[in-house]
Each structure stands twice: as structure tokens, then as C-alpha cells.
Amino acid sequence: ETWASPEAQRTAGARVYFLSPPGSEVFPALAAMTVQLPDDVDTDYAKLPLRTFAMWKTLGQEWENECNWFMKADADSYVNLAAVAARLQCFESTDQHYFGVTHAIMPPAGMRDHFPATFFAHGG
């Protein structure tokens, strides 16, 4: 039994999905909980920022009406779904919120006039 078990999801009123690049093999027991995003790339660690941006883009454009909240967790993370769900009850899901640590991709000083910093969510 894991933090993403069907029982933990029912208790928290949550749904957990796993990302898998298009065309990759999906473990049969996780097939119903696996999403393959059209803009996804391979799972090489160097491409993690691209995968994360593709995930947020797809969730915002295609899953907006499916869930009140979205959360990203790494494969090696433990999430207390019940605690997260209880904490989110303090907030209105129709308002814009960001929970976590903000990071920025900062271009070299000579390029900042043409390419401003890009801020993105990471951790929390």
C-alpha cells in the first residue's frame, strides 16, 4: 500500500495520475492511473524542466474542468493526500494560488533585454 493507493485517494477525495511519455510501455496495474501527454519528452533528467512545462500546459488547457487543484510530486516523494486535501480546503480553488518554491531561469546578462527571466514552480 502506498500514498497513492485507491484507499488513500478515496479518503482524501483525490485522484493521482502518473505521467509516461507517449509510446512508452505502461505497467498494466497503473494503466488506469497513467496519462501520456502529447508534448511530453523522454524521462532524461536533463529534460525534466521541459516535461514539467508540458505537464502544466496540458493540465491548464485540457484538464481545467477535471480537477479543482493540481499538484506535481516526484516519483521518490511521499505525499500525505489527506493532509494536502485538508489544507486546500482553506483556499478557494477558483482563485489563482501558487504553493511551493519559485525558481527562475535567468539568461546571461547580455541577453536579458531580449529574453527575460522565466519563473516556474518547483518543490514546496
Side-chain angles (χ1 to χ4, degrees), residues 27-107:
F27 187 63
L30 297 177
M33 298 169 59
T34 300
V35 176
Q36 294 185 325
L37 305 178
D39 293 336
D40 202 358
V41 293
D42 67 48
T43 56
D44 182 282
Y45 187 77
K47 294 187 175 115
L48 183 58
L50 296 174
R51 292 191 83 215
T52 302
F53 281 127
M55 177 197 72
W56 290 124
K57 175 186 169 193
T58 301
L59 290 175
Q61 291 177 345
E62 299 175 21
W63 287 57
E64 179 182 11
N65 297 320
E66 296 293 319
C67 303
N68 291 332
W69 298 98
F70 296 102
M71 180 185 134
K72 176 193 171 294
D74 291 335
D76 60 352
S77 297
Y78 174 83
V79 178
N80 183 331
L81 290 177
V84 171
R87 181 68 176 127
L88 290 175
Q89 288 180 359
C90 301
F91 300 93
E92 180 59 52
S93 66
T94 56
D95 293 340
Q96 291 187 5
H97 300 282
Y98 169 74
F99 305 104
V101 179
T102 304
H103 291 267
I105 298 171
M106 187 66 78

Side-chain angles (χ1 to χ4, degrees), residues 11-30:
T11 300
R15 291 184 286 173
V16 174
Y17 294 96
F18 300 95
L19 296 183
S20 180
S24 63
E25 185 176 346
V26 175
F27 187 63
L30 297 177

